[in-house]
Amino acid sequence: MTCCGSERWARRVAAHRPYPDLAALLAAADEAGYDLSPADVTQALAAESAAGECAHLPGADVPAAARTALRAAFAAYEASFGHTFVISLAGRAPDEYLDQVLAAIRTRLGNDPEDERAVAADELRRLARSRLAALVTGAPVAGAPGTRPAGAPEMPRPRGSAPSPIARTWQFDRGLDHTGDPRANGPTSRR
């Protein structure tokens, strides 16, 4: 649910465990994201708080005027479409975040509600994918309090740091204990 606020998406991704590798997990997440119903998209959008997160863009000092512009743009977007603005910034450099967010809001404000709903659903899918990869690899989770803004690229886990509890759970589902040794659990078993 921290990756995508749709209960159906979360149940569907969890129901197909164990995954043989990260690529299979991400493929299943994408498939579940493409199959979101309008109600699922509404639920996921309601769980987002991108406006608050994007106001704290890392990588550069965001001038007060830019923060004001962001708040105004987010308010205009929400007034037009009835939900918060979501965007995946995966693959962008931190110094591009502000420009990318402002340009995307300006462009997307020109969409009709049906087209924007499709764009927002695709951004939710991309956000879920990057957040899920971050959880499994132990990287900070995009959009989580105290981390980078929603959709920001994953940061590599420092060498020698312990994997996240989610990563350990995923490893256990693959037949590994928290140490990563497949012999520790005996035959692969499900919970």
Side-chain angles (χ1 to χ4, degrees):
M1 292 297 291
T2 61
C3 297
C4 178
S6 163
E7 289 178 26
R8 182 172 174 246
W9 179 92
R11 279 194 308 271
R12 188 164 168 193
V13 171
H16 291 92
R17 295 178 305 163
Y19 292 96
D21 55 29
L22 180 59
L25 173 62
L26 296 178
D30 281 345
E31 185 178 329
Y34 285 123
D35 291 342
L36 292 177
S37 71
D40 297 328
V41 171
T42 297
Q43 183 183 31
L45 286 169
E48 291 295 326
S49 61
E53 296 294 332
C54 287
H56 305 288
L57 296 171
D61 293 325
V62 179
R67 289 183 203 280
T68 300
L70 276 173
R71 280 192 289 275
F74 284 124
Y77 180 92
E78 193 163 344
S80 293
F81 300 110
H83 58 81
T84 193
F85 176 80
V86 291
I87 187 170
S88 173
L89 297 172
R92 301 288 184 183
D95 61 349
E96 296 176 357
Y97 293 168
L98 178 61
D99 291 337
Q100 290 297 314
V101 170
L102 285 172
I105 289 177
R106 284 187 202 115
T107 299
R108 289 168 57 183
L109 276 169
N111 289 344
D112 67 51
E114 187 175 313
D115 289 342
E116 180 53 28
R117 186 82 165 178
V119 171
D122 190 51
E123 292 295 326
L124 284 170
R125 183 191 56 76
R126 293 175 61 212
L127 283 168
R129 180 184 174 85
S130 69
R131 290 170 180 169
L132 190 56
L135 280 172
V136 169
T137 62
V141 180
T147 64
R148 62 198 179 279
E154 300 84 43
M155 303 301 277
R157 185 167 32 97
R159 277 204 166 129
S161 66
S164 72
I166 299 297
R168 286 193 298 270
T169 301
W170 185 68
Q171 289 171 343
F172 179 78
D173 289 340
R174 291 177 33 219
L176 305 175
D177 75 346
H178 69 280
T179 66
D181 184 354
R183 297 167 298 196
N185 289 336
T188 303
S189 61
R190 293 192 183 207
R191 288 186 246 191

